[in-house]
Amino acid sequence: MSNLDRQATPSVCGGRGFVVAEPVRELLTPRRVPLGASTEVRRLLPNLGRRMVGAWAFVDHYGPDDIADEPGMQVPPHPHMGLQTVSWLHDGEVLHRDSLGSLQTVRPRELGLMTSGRAISHSEESPKPHARFLHGAQLWVALPDAHRNVEPHFQHHTDLPAVTAPGLTATVILGELDGAASPGTAYTPIVGADLTLTEGAEARLPLDPDFEYAVLSMSGEAEVDGVPVLPGSMLYLGCGRTELPLRALSDAGLMLLGGEPFEEEIVMFWNFIARSGEEIVQARKDWEEGSRFGEVQGYDGARLPAPALPTTPLKPRGRVR
């Protein structure tokens, strides 16, 4: 999914300076951003108080939206580089097209994983006809320097492993949880899991103390380490945890996001993740000139123009002179 914010501003992310090395309970408030004509997202990352969680660099939660008489998701062709996009649905369908020629409908609890590497472009839209409700999350994973220029590719996985306990099913979307590993390709130590809890369930989810974690609430009412987390909000948990207490006050859906703290400092602007402002300028130029990112065939509409660059260059803190 694209960042459609026409007032996009660069963000400096990553590095140990943003990481909390001990368990915390930091509730993040989302920013509301329009996505097309009939969809609004709640943006949790990057956040004013929290830039990344492990390699997770971007988190949007949307829906549930009644799109029976609406076009639904309509995201025109746009570029990506230096990251992976993770599409995850609870309701509805999203049709993915990309410049590699991929054409895939992603359905609830299926993993749509696009690795942009050096350069790719794609579009996302609700199919015609489409289901009444649309509800899901779109997430980005920053690629480490050693892999950020890999060949772009798209993966679609319908059979994902799960960890179960009484009243809890944890579907492993990316990375590994309690010995269960996703088939999706990961380039850093990471975990993303969809947690389904039944009303009254109490469970303790095993965690890696070297990871930092956050929990996104998708639906229902639940307590995470004793903190009520309502749909559309995210609780940052820091590092140093070996388990996570969960309690469902109703049937609830959560997403667990975690990973080793991302050591490298990155610059994120619009749909690009880079290591310098110069790389961002070049990527925007390449998109505007129609080179490098390829073309998306079959989308009914124009591609997305890039927003204007800021007048003041932004560099990772370690590169400021």
Side-chain angles (χ1 to χ4, degrees):
M1 179 180 287
S2 172
N3 177 5
L4 297 186
D5 191 347
R6 303 310 300 163
Q7 305 299 318
T9 56
S11 298
V12 175
C13 307
R16 285 278 179 174
F18 287 105
V19 178
V20 180
E22 60 186 7
V24 295
R25 303 173 186 85
E26 180 183 304
L27 196 61
L28 304 182
T29 302
R31 180 167 66 95
R32 296 184 179 271
V33 179
L35 187 72
S38 58
T39 304
E40 182 182 72
V41 302
R42 291 167 287 279
R43 183 151 299 159
L44 282 311
L45 288 180
N47 191 288
L48 184 62
R50 183 64 44 199
R51 298 296 187 183
M52 297 178 72
V53 177
W56 299 100
F58 182 94
V59 176
D60 275 353
H61 172 246
Y62 56 90
D65 295 325
D66 187 339
I67 59 170
D69 300 316
E70 302 287 345
M73 183 181 293
Q74 298 294 324
V75 182
H78 58 278
H80 284 289
M81 76 171 192
L83 58 92
Q84 294 176 289
T85 64
V86 176
S87 299
W88 189 252
L89 290 168
H90 278 194
D91 291 293
E93 298 175 336
V94 172
L95 178 62
H96 166 96
R97 305 174 192 265
D98 64 40
S99 53
L100 303 177
S102 307
L103 178 63
Q104 180 64 57
T105 300
V106 180
R107 297 178 173 85
R109 268 77 181 193
E110 297 179 354
L111 171 61
L113 177 64
M114 187 182 75
T115 300
S116 67
R118 55 180 176 76
I120 199 171
S121 57
H122 76 140
S123 65
E124 291 174 296
E125 59 188 304
S126 296
K128 300 175 184 178
H130 53 252
R132 177 175 180 178
F133 293 103
L134 181 64
H135 181 205
Q138 287 279 349
L139 314 99
W140 298 355
V141 178
L143 290 171
D145 191 63
H147 299 287
R148 67 189 181 104
N149 290 312
V150 299
E151 288 297 310
H153 57 275
F154 178 76
Q155 296 173 268
H156 177 236
H157 296 286
T158 60
D159 187 14
L160 298 170
V163 175
T164 60
L168 167 68
T169 299
T171 301
V172 185
I173 302 168
L174 196 63
E176 185 174 339
L177 177 66
D178 196 27
S182 166
T185 302
Y187 293 91
T188 58
I190 196 170
V191 64
D194 183 83
L195 312 180
T196 301
L197 296 100
T198 59
E199 183 176 359
E202 296 189 34
R204 290 181 174 269
L205 199 63
L207 300 182
D208 185 331
D210 292 331
F211 281 19
E212 61 176 340
Y213 289 96
V215 170
L216 167 67
S217 176
M218 298 285 287
S219 61
E221 297 182 39
E223 291 181 354
V224 178
D225 197 17
V227 179
V229 184
L230 298 177
S233 63
M234 189 162 73
L235 184 67
Y236 176 71
L237 297 163
C239 300
R241 296 175 180 269
T242 58
E243 62 179 15
L244 183 63
L246 302 169
R247 179 170 174 257
L249 307 180
S250 68
D251 290 349
L254 307 171
M255 290 187 74
L256 174 72
L257 306 175
E260 283 189 359
F262 199 77
E263 294 276 3
E264 303 167 25
E265 291 187 351
I266 61 176
V267 178
M268 186 161 64
F269 173 76
W270 194 39
N271 299 300
F272 307 131
I273 288 183
R275 297 304 186 276
S276 70
E278 291 79 9
E279 290 180 5
I280 295 291
V281 171
Q282 186 62 53
R284 183 187 182 279
K285 181 174 183 289
D286 291 344
W287 174 246
E288 291 293 282
E289 293 180 350
S291 63
R292 180 179 169 192
F293 291 95
E295 293 187 18
V296 177
Q297 301 293 333
Y299 181 83
D300 185 15
R303 66 183 196 154
L304 199 64
L309 288 165
T311 56
T312 304
L314 183 62
K315 300 180 180 180
R317 293 178 304 280
R319 298 183 183 181
V320 173
R321 294 292 186 264

